[in-house]
């Protein structure tokens, strides 16, 4: 996946010799020749250093972790090739996790940071524009809503992440062309930042007036976990649709906290041996089980009670609104493991694919690419690796687990329509890059880079909770 021009495969690697070298903080002999490695060999070293560093961090051997981070710094680069860029952000995340073991130091380093709403808006806009993922999700979601709302005269859509007008502008165009005339449309946008909702309302209202659609926009300023269902103000006679785009995974957190590993927890790190494997082959190997577990490990049952309470309450609330359709877009990744090593390996897989998308479509010097990697993906990586407890929001899980949760909450799966999938497939084909793919699995659409699923779109409707066993069998 990551190659210098003219290089095909690695024919030999000195990693077995390097593992016997002393790790010195000085710019000694290892560093000078490490800088001259070819791209694929450098990628192998970076994977080795990242896993070694993470293992040291997990067992509390922080001096050794510091040396590994120093080594990574001489090979990683935020404007280099794919593996260099990934390594730079994973190293930053591991360093951030180490800092958190000294709360006073960590708070002092971050005390002057000011979150900028304008930056959040910018990076979300860049993600929408540079990748087809959300565009495909919007096409599929809108078609599911249109089909579920056929013949309805009053439609209410609850948008659980009200920050993107493009989806609803497209839906308005379709609704305005209905033979029986457009319905009365009400959209409730939920977002923690008032400024973002304030930007949505006038734009949607303006277009609705031009299309002669009776329209109302309601703002609900709230974090999703604090959302009062009553504030959504669902009225009798309205046909309700719920839209969730990359939101529900933030409700999977429990109350565990990151503890400073004790020195007694330190164990001898298992050295992961690398020989003649490519980057993708290395990432596909089951390396987690060769590394020492994090001391903050807990039981990793599929739906642990501590992690499920918050999301279950929230889904119960949505079910009580009896929506005609609920469409959910989520990352199809397993970043909610109970150990640092589990999450690091899974995240390496995912972000290697995402950064490869960027490498294939954008220049390495692109300012937009650098902003996306730093402000969006870098922050996600940091949250997955450095945070625990309620602070860890990026708890992405595989679609199978979401299916279990939705069934338990009283929802039944609805297959996305063939026409919607045709529209989405046409959009991907017109994107000018053959790496993007889409596949249907049991009525759910998976949006992939090459053969790796990255996002899923699925539709659901309420069913009788007395018949949950039947829902599981579907």
């Amino acid at each position: 996946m990551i190659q210098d021009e003219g290089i095909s495969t690695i024919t030999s690697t000195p990693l077995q010799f390097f593992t016997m070298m002393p790790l010195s903080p000085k710019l000694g002999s290892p560093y000078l020749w490490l800088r001259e490695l070819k791209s694929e060999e450098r990628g192998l070293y970076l994977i080795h250093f990242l896993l070694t560093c993470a293992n040291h961090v997990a067992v509390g051997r922080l001096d050794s972790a510091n040396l590994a981070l120093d080594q990574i710094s001489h090979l990683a680069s935020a404007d280099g090739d794919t593996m260099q860029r990934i390594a730079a952000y994973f190293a930053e995340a591991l360093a951030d996790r180490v800092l958190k073991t000294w709360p006073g130091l960590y708070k002092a380093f971050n005390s002057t940071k000011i979150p900028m709403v304008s930056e959040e808006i910018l990076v979300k806009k860049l993600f929408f524009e540079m990748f087809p993922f959300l565009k495909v999700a919007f096409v599929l979601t809108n078609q599911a809503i249109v089909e579920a709302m056929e013949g309805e005269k009053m439609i209410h859509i609850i948008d659980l992440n009200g920050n993107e007008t493009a989806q609803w502008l497209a839906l308005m165009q379709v609704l305005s062309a209905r033979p029986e005339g457009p319905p009365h449309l009400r959209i409730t946008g939920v977002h923690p930042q008032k400024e973002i909702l304030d930007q949505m309302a006038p734009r949607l209202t303006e277009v609705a007036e031009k299309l002669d659609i009776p329209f109302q926009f309601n703002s609900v300023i709230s974090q999703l976990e604090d959302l009062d269902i009553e504030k959504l103000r669902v009225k009798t006679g309205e046909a309700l649709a719920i839209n969730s785009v990359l939101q529900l995974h933030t409700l999977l957190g429990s109350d565990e906290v990151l503890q400073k590993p004790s020195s007694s927890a330190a164990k001898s790190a298992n050295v992961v041996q690398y020989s003649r494997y490519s980057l993708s082959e290395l990432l596909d190997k089951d390396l987690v089980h060769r590394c020492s577990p994090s001391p903050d490990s807990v039981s990793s049952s599929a739906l642990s009670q501590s992690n499920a309470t918050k999301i279950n309450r929230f889904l119960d609330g949505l079910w009580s609104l009896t929506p005609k359709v609920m469409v959910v877009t989520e990352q199809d990744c397993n970043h909610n493991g109970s150990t640092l090593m589990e999450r690091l390996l899974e995240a390496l897989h995912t972000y290697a694919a995402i950064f490869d998308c960027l490498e294939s479509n954008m220049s390495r010097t692109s300012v937009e690419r650098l902003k996306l990697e730093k402000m969006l993906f870098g922050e996600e990586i940091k949250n997955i690796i450095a945070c625990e407890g309620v602070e860890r929001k990026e708890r992405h899980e595989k679609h199978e687990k979401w299916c279990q949760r939705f069934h338990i909450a009283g929802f039944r799966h609805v297959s996305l329509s063939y026409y919607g999938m045709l529209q989405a497939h046409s959009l991907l084909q017109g994107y000018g890059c053959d790496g993007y793919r889409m596949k249907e699995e049991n009525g759910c659409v998976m949006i992939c880079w090459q053969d790796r699923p990255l996002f899923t779109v699925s539709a659901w409707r309420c069913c009788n909770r007395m018949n949950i066993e039947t829902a599981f069998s579907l």
Side-chain angles (χ1 to χ4, degrees):
M1 181 177 68
I2 302 167
Q3 300 181 7
D4 284 338
E5 291 187 8
I7 301 172
S8 56
T9 58
I10 299 175
T11 57
S12 63
T13 174
L15 273 171
Q16 60 268 33
F17 301 109
F18 182 81
T19 57
M20 295 183 288
M21 291 183 177
L23 302 182
S24 170
K26 300 178 181 179
L27 287 180
S29 57
Y31 298 107
L32 296 178
W33 62 268
L34 279 174
R35 292 176 181 176
E36 299 177 0
L37 290 171
K38 295 177 180 180
S39 178
E40 289 187 3
E41 291 177 326
R42 182 174 57 232
L44 293 174
Y45 275 96
L46 283 169
I47 295 171
H48 171 73
F49 291 149
L50 284 171
L51 293 175
T52 299
C53 179
N55 203 35
H56 288 320
V57 172
V59 299
R61 197 181 298 110
L62 302 187
D63 286 345
S64 298
N66 178 60
L67 296 182
L69 286 170
D70 189 36
Q71 291 171 316
I72 293 169
S73 71
H74 293 280
L75 295 177
S77 172
D79 58 1
D81 64 26
T82 302
M83 193 61 225
Q84 285 181 298
R85 297 165 97 104
I86 292 170
Y89 292 111
F90 274 86
E92 183 180 15
L94 287 166
D96 205 58
R97 186 179 177 98
V98 170
L99 272 182
K100 283 175 181 286
T101 61
W102 291 281
L105 189 63
Y106 179 78
K107 290 174 184 176
F109 269 114
N110 292 277
S111 61
T112 58
K113 288 186 178 179
I114 302 174
M116 301 291 290
V117 175
S118 58
E119 288 185 353
E120 179 179 336
I121 295 173
L122 170 64
V123 75
K124 293 293 177 62
K125 182 177 176 62
L126 284 174
F127 180 67
F128 177 75
E129 292 176 348
M130 299 302 173
F131 293 96
F133 304 125
L134 289 185
K135 296 184 181 73
V136 169
F138 290 171
V139 166
L140 292 167
T141 299
N142 284 356
Q143 186 60 32
I145 292 174
V146 167
E147 293 176 8
M149 299 298 168
E150 186 176 357
E152 296 289 350
K153 295 180 179 179
M154 297 180 64
I155 298 175
H156 184 185
I157 299 172
I158 296 173
D159 185 358
L160 294 179
N161 184 36
N163 70 351
E164 181 55 69
T165 60
Q167 177 177 8
W168 308 129
L169 295 176
L171 181 65
M172 285 179 177
Q173 294 284 347
V174 176
L175 294 177
S176 69
R178 292 203 315 185
E180 68 272 27
H184 182 283
L185 178 63
R186 188 155 71 99
I187 296 178
T188 297
V190 180
H191 200 279
Q193 293 166 334
K194 182 177 183 296
E195 300 95 319
I196 290 179
L197 293 172
D198 286 347
Q199 290 185 24
M200 285 188 71
R203 176 63 177 145
L204 293 174
T205 302
E206 177 189 1
V207 172
E209 289 176 355
K210 289 180 180 179
L211 295 174
D212 200 24
I213 297 176
F215 177 72
Q216 181 182 1
F217 184 84
N218 298 326
S219 296
V220 176
I221 303 165
S222 173
Q223 296 281 356
L224 208 59
E225 61 190 49
D226 301 321
L227 179 63
D228 180 357
I229 295 294
E230 295 297 321
K231 290 185 178 179
L232 299 175
R233 297 190 297 169
V234 177
K235 300 176 182 177
T236 303
E238 289 182 329
L240 178 65
I242 296 174
N243 175 60
S244 176
V245 179
L246 311 183
Q247 291 300 300
L248 295 183
H249 65 265
T250 65
L251 300 175
L252 296 178
S254 60
D255 296 325
E256 78 271 12
V257 295
L258 178 62
Q259 302 288 338
K260 181 176 179 179
S262 63
S263 57
S264 61
K267 302 175 183 178
S268 297
N270 295 326
V271 176
V272 182
Q273 297 293 336
Y274 306 100
S275 53
R276 297 174 62 179
Y277 296 107
S278 68
L279 172 61
S280 59
E281 288 171 332
L282 280 169
L283 290 177
D284 284 335
K285 290 177 72 64
D286 185 12
L287 301 177
V288 169
H289 302 297
R290 303 189 184 190
C291 302
S292 301
S294 169
D296 60 345
S297 301
V298 295
S299 174
S300 56
S301 60
L303 296 172
S304 66
Q305 188 63 40
S306 61
N307 286 354
T309 304
K310 191 182 298 182
I311 184 65
N312 287 350
R313 284 199 303 265
F314 188 79
L315 292 178
D316 284 346
L318 297 184
W319 183 87
S320 71
L321 300 176
T322 61
K324 289 198 72 174
V325 67
M326 178 175 74
V327 190
V328 177
T329 301
E330 277 292 337
Q331 292 91 339
D332 191 49
C333 318
N334 185 19
H335 298 156
N336 198 22
S338 60
T339 70
L340 169 62
M341 298 305 298
E342 284 180 276
R343 300 202 300 271
L344 184 129
L345 259 297
E346 289 290 337
L348 275 173
H349 275 288
T350 300
Y351 290 98
I354 291 175
F355 277 52
D356 194 37
C357 293
L358 292 168
E359 181 77 4
S360 299
N361 294 285
M362 301 181 73
S363 163
R364 290 181 182 178
T365 58
S366 165
V367 175
E368 289 79 12
R369 177 179 176 179
L370 290 170
K371 287 180 178 179
L372 263 176
E373 291 174 343
K374 173 66 177 176
M375 297 164 60
L376 181 60
F377 302 129
E379 289 302 308
E380 288 179 359
I381 291 168
K382 190 180 295 183
N383 191 267
I384 292 166
I385 300 301
C387 298
E388 296 293 349
V390 295
E391 188 182 10
R392 179 156 61 87
K393 301 295 185 182
E394 303 298 340
R395 293 175 176 265
H396 315 136
E397 291 193 341
K398 301 292 286 185
H399 181 64
E400 293 80 4
K401 286 190 178 181
W402 286 113
C403 287
Q404 293 179 48
R405 288 193 176 90
F406 294 143
H407 283 310
I408 290 171
F411 291 94
R412 189 172 72 182
H413 186 255
V414 179
S415 293
L416 294 167
S417 74
Y418 180 70
Y419 180 64
M421 286 188 271
L422 278 180
Q423 293 181 73
H425 186 67
S426 177
L427 189 155
L428 274 186
Q429 282 186 322
Y431 215 76
C433 179
D434 60 4
Y436 293 112
R437 297 172 188 172
M438 193 180 83
K439 63 181 181 180
E440 184 268 340
E441 190 171 294
N442 298 323
C444 160
V445 168
M446 296 185 171
I447 314 168
C448 312
W449 174 252
Q450 305 296 352
D451 294 323
R452 184 168 189 84
L454 294 176
F455 297 88
T456 59
V457 184
S458 59
W460 304 83
R461 65 183 176 89
C462 291
C463 66
N464 192 331
R465 284 182 170 175
M466 298 297 292
N467 204 17
I468 285 177
E469 289 185 5
T470 303
F472 267 108
S473 68
L474 295 175

